[in-house]
Amino acid sequence: MFSIFKEHRHFGKQILLLAKDELLKTYKGAIVGPLWAVIKPAFTLFVYWFAFSVGLKKTGDIEVLIHGNILEFDRFLFMLVGFIPWFFIQDSILMGSKSIRVNSQFVTKVSFPVSTIPTYTVLSRLYVSLFLSAIMYIYVLFNQGASFYNLQFFFYCPFMFMFFLVFAWSTAPMSAISRDFENAVVSIMAGVFWLSGIVYNSYDLPEPLKTIMLFNPINFFVNGYRNAFLYDRMFFEYKTELVIVFVEFVVLFFFGLFNYSRLRKKLPDVM
């Protein structure tokens, strides 16, 4: 743990520069360049909105029970706020898991801190997420107005970044050693989307599904963004869910450190 922290402390400036380069590399050669960071999510959101509002004819608002009262939210706004954290989570899991393999040139360099590869990869996706969040907030302001609860973004966003960063510390070396593991991660992501309350309100699910969803960290962050921008609920109102996610984070943190340290020395030989 201390060796990884030391690598990050002495390599902080380089991490920021590499995150920017990773972002530029993603859109290199494209005519509109970084605008794809907005075009792709916007098109995805439009497709799902069209499927639910037109194809399935579920028009109208979404009803959510909050503090004993049933409130209605515009379907597009509801989906927009849920998709913003999902875009970051999806990219962090997929790109974070393959980050070491696609940057194999750094692994063979003895002086290069390999643990920073997942860090700057996930950080590059955070840049995109912050930009998308700013666009989302402008839309929220026009529809909901500003609220004190919006400040919870500065809790959910950093926590989400740290959660999926330590997740990448574990999955990146495993994917570098086994392409089967990387393919498995890609395969399950579509299913994870439908199990994470992104296009529906998971708090309205019947038991025991509602309780099971509390163990899904993606569901926690999606609902967290909605708590901040739609529901006007504080993060500590769901104490059980909060405790579960923090315990998962601690377990994942130490498992990520253990898995990375266990596989780090094998990477140069395998790659």
Side-chain angles (χ1 to χ4, degrees):
M1 179 175 67
F2 290 110
S3 63
I4 291 179
F5 287 165
K6 184 178 179 180
E7 289 176 349
H8 281 68
R9 182 168 60 88
H10 293 295
F11 212 71
K13 185 177 181 179
Q14 290 87 338
I15 289 175
L16 296 176
L17 293 175
L18 287 169
K20 184 185 72 173
D21 292 341
E22 180 75 13
L23 190 60
L24 295 175
K25 184 174 65 175
T26 302
Y27 305 105
K28 184 179 180 181
I31 296 177
V32 296
L35 281 179
W36 280 111
V38 177
I39 296 174
K40 182 180 177 181
F43 180 74
T44 301
L45 185 62
F46 168 77
V47 169
Y48 280 100
W49 170 82
F50 183 86
F52 279 88
S53 296
V54 181
L56 298 178
K57 300 186 183 302
K58 289 189 175 182
T59 56
D61 298 333
I62 289 183
E63 295 182 345
V64 181
L65 180 64
I66 300 176
H67 298 145
N69 299 315
I70 296 180
L71 300 182
E72 294 184 347
F73 298 97
D74 176 73
R75 183 174 296 276
F76 179 79
L77 179 61
F78 179 86
M79 294 179 64
L80 172 64
V81 177
F83 265 96
I84 294 303
W86 166 250
F87 288 139
F88 169 79
I89 293 170
Q90 177 181 237
D91 287 348
S92 296
I93 293 176
L94 294 177
M95 299 182 68
S97 64
K98 65 179 182 179
S99 59
I100 291 180
R101 181 181 61 79
V102 298
N103 292 283
S104 57
Q105 70 275 13
F106 293 137
V107 177
T108 56
K109 295 183 178 181
V110 179
S111 60
F112 190 88
V114 178
S115 65
T116 63
I117 296 177
T119 302
Y120 73 71
T121 300
V122 176
L123 182 61
S124 69
R125 308 325 301 168
L126 180 63
Y127 291 161
V128 176
S129 183
L130 291 175
F131 181 65
L132 293 176
S133 296
I135 297 176
M136 174 202 70
Y137 190 54
I138 293 174
Y139 190 84
V140 170
L141 287 177
F142 279 103
N143 288 270
Q144 298 284 114
S147 169
F148 168 78
Y149 295 93
N150 299 159
L151 295 176
Q152 292 181 100
F153 172 81
F154 298 103
F155 164 73
Y156 285 111
C157 186
F159 185 27
M160 181 174 66
F161 169 75
M162 289 301 303
F163 193 99
F164 292 98
L165 171 59
V166 300
F167 185 83
W169 283 350
S170 179
T171 58
M174 294 174 67
S175 295
I177 291 176
S178 172
R179 289 296 295 270
D180 290 328
F181 180 82
E182 181 182 327
N183 291 332
V185 172
V186 174
S187 299
I188 67 173
M189 286 306 294
V192 169
F193 172 85
W194 295 105
L195 296 173
S196 302
I198 297 160
V199 295
Y200 57 87
N201 177 26
S202 62
Y203 291 135
D204 283 346
L205 293 175
E207 295 290 355
L209 291 178
K210 181 178 179 180
T211 300
I212 294 174
M213 290 291 282
L214 298 181
F215 292 86
N216 183 349
I218 300 176
N219 184 69
F220 171 81
F221 291 111
V222 169
N223 283 325
Y225 271 58
R226 288 180 177 142
N227 285 336
F229 297 108
L230 296 180
Y231 301 160
D232 286 350
R233 281 192 300 216
M234 296 302 296
F235 65 91
F236 50 76
E237 290 189 33
Y238 284 85
K239 296 181 178 65
T240 302
E241 186 178 25
L242 187 62
V243 170
I244 290 174
V245 173
F246 267 108
V247 170
E248 289 177 336
F249 174 71
V250 172
V251 172
L252 187 63
F253 178 79
F254 286 104
F255 178 75
L257 294 178
F258 167 75
N259 213 31
Y260 171 79
S261 62
R262 179 174 65 92
L263 300 175
R264 169 65 182 93
K265 294 182 180 179
K266 299 179 181 180
L267 291 176
D269 295 332
V270 173
M271 304 184 69

